[in-house]
Amino acid sequence: MTEDHTRVIVLVLPDVNLLDLAGPVQVFDAATVLGANYDIGYVADAPRVRSAQGLLLADLGPFPATGPGDLVLVPGPRLRGTGPEVSGTVVDWLRAAHAGGARIAAVCTGAAALGEAGLLDGRRCTTHWELLEPMRRRYPAARVAEAVLYVHDGLVSTSAGISAGVDLALSLVERDHGPVLTAAVARQLVVYLRRDGAAEQLSPFLKYRAHLDATVHRVQEHLAQHLDARLSLAELAAVARVSPRGLSRAFTATLGMTPLEYQQRLRLEYAAALLGQTDLTVEAVAARCGFRDARHFRRLYRARLGGSPSEARPGTAAAPPGVGVQLGAEPPAGRVRAAGVRAEAGA
């Protein structure tokens, strides 16, 4: 936990979307009420800016000098035409803020302002799903990720559309002040305790995240961001900076399963979402979700969800249990192991 106050400097761009601005700001304000140390201020090119929804925002300050410990928040504007309307003054200030060591977090289309400043070059980032392909074309050096809610890459963070800014802000609060205060903020705002940054934007998998063990959260995030990787227990323990035995104990006590059992559930839930929402082949879904081959994937899918992957397609006569609204349903006790599922790295 930091001791000094953290400035949250909100960059208000023309045509800013109100929820992109208000959602994250509400998180930092609630955290402050509950004992955090955020000082929130608003800056812009001009003292008055009109939002995309027509509300006039006034008394906005000039661009300050920034440094380590500052957080620059860039809510997304409504984009018009072929590219973002970001002034040279804004671009220069963002570059200087980044060079000076400030953290920069963009919500939704606010990522375009970071792209104009060159701050996404070589970085993993995300944005609203409708802007993913335009971002890739306009900023080819950026590593634009789809199917995630938010991404942290060094001092630069980005989030998906609109409400995902709340998830991004909660993750930043947790980094500053830990999971206990973050949980209190989420309860105060009546939102999910936290949504995983690697959750799919249109159908996020939220199970098993409503706990306060930061070690387990850290590994859950790593697994979600590397669904297709073959990760050993030792590698996951290194991510959490604990022993393999300690990590297994923490997962079992918190979630009632081992890290690699959790990885398998996450992969299968994501696979079910892809089967239901895309036209990817079963083989492509299996590869994207980290299964070693399609036959192995089909066997695990049937054992865990009670049907074949092809039955999860929209419009099929019989959808297996566990698909759709039952995506996170628990299987009968012992069913997974009885069907030959192994809790091993890269299963």
Side-chain angles (χ1 to χ4, degrees):
M1 184 180 297
T2 58
E3 296 297 332
D4 297 330
H5 281 247
T6 298
R7 288 195 302 174
V8 178
I9 305 167
V10 184
L11 172 59
V12 183
L13 296 170
D15 281 334
V16 64
N17 284 304
L18 287 177
L19 187 54
D20 283 4
L21 187 156
V25 165
Q26 191 78 32
V27 169
F28 292 116
D29 179 71
T32 301
V33 170
L34 292 170
N37 49 13
Y38 296 109
D39 291 327
I40 304 171
Y42 305 86
V43 302
D45 252 340
R48 294 152 62 93
V49 169
R50 193 170 295 278
S51 76
Q53 290 71 37
L55 180 66
L56 185 64
L57 306 171
D59 295 330
L60 304 173
F63 297 133
T66 59
D70 290 330
L71 171 63
V72 175
L73 180 67
V74 187
R78 177 180 291 169
L79 299 186
R80 304 181 186 277
T82 58
E85 297 179 4
V86 182
S87 71
T89 305
V90 167
V91 166
D92 291 343
W93 182 67
L94 287 173
R95 288 173 177 167
H98 179 261
R103 291 180 293 170
I104 301 179
V107 179
C108 192
T109 57
L114 274 57
E116 292 298 295
L119 302 185
L120 301 182
D121 292 354
R123 293 185 184 278
R124 191 166 180 267
C125 60
T126 195
T127 187
H128 190 280
W129 61 269
E130 289 184 318
L131 193 61
L132 292 171
E133 287 307 318
M135 284 275 288
R136 290 188 177 112
R137 291 193 297 269
R138 189 172 181 90
Y139 314 115
R143 297 159 52 208
V144 182
E146 60 184 282
V148 295
L149 285 170
Y150 57 83
V151 173
H152 300 297
D153 190 327
L155 293 176
V156 175
S157 303
T158 50
S159 85
I162 314 297
S163 65
V166 172
D167 303 292
L168 173 62
L170 285 170
S171 74
L172 291 167
V173 170
E174 189 200 26
R175 287 185 165 202
D176 291 343
H177 297 281
V180 175
L181 185 132
T182 305
V185 171
R187 286 194 298 270
Q188 183 72 30
L189 299 182
V190 197
V191 297
Y192 288 113
L193 182 61
R194 62 182 290 146
R195 292 198 292 177
D196 169 30
E200 201 271 336
Q201 289 185 27
L202 299 180
S203 182
F205 28 92
L206 304 175
K207 282 182 71 69
Y208 310 117
R209 299 309 298 258
H211 63 83
L212 300 179
D213 192 314
T215 295
V216 175
H217 274 310
R218 191 177 300 118
V219 173
Q220 285 179 298
E221 289 172 358
H222 188 79
L223 286 170
Q225 291 177 26
H226 300 86
L227 280 178
D228 59 349
R230 296 179 67 84
L231 298 167
S232 69
L233 182 61
E235 289 171 323
L236 294 176
V239 169
R241 298 186 290 276
V242 297
S243 69
R245 184 177 179 183
L247 180 61
S248 290
R249 282 202 304 264
F251 256 75
T252 301
T254 303
L255 305 182
M257 68 185 82
T258 69
L260 300 176
E261 287 170 336
Y262 173 79
Q263 178 193 51
Q264 190 175 90
R265 292 183 185 221
L266 199 64
R267 286 173 167 176
L268 287 169
E269 291 200 7
Y270 187 43
L274 289 176
L275 290 166
Q277 298 170 12
T278 75
D279 58 0
L280 293 172
T281 65
V282 172
E283 289 73 17
V285 169
R288 182 172 292 193
C289 296
F291 295 100
R292 60 176 177 257
D293 59 56
R295 185 171 65 176
H296 179 64
F297 166 58
R298 287 187 175 95
R299 179 169 61 85
L300 296 184
Y301 192 96
R302 184 175 293 280
R304 177 75 174 93
L305 299 180
S308 70
S310 61
E311 290 174 323
R313 294 298 188 188
T316 55
V323 175
V325 296
Q326 297 295 321
L327 188 61
E330 296 295 328
R335 178 176 184 178
V336 173
R337 291 193 180 278
V341 177
R342 295 177 296 171
E344 65 179 10

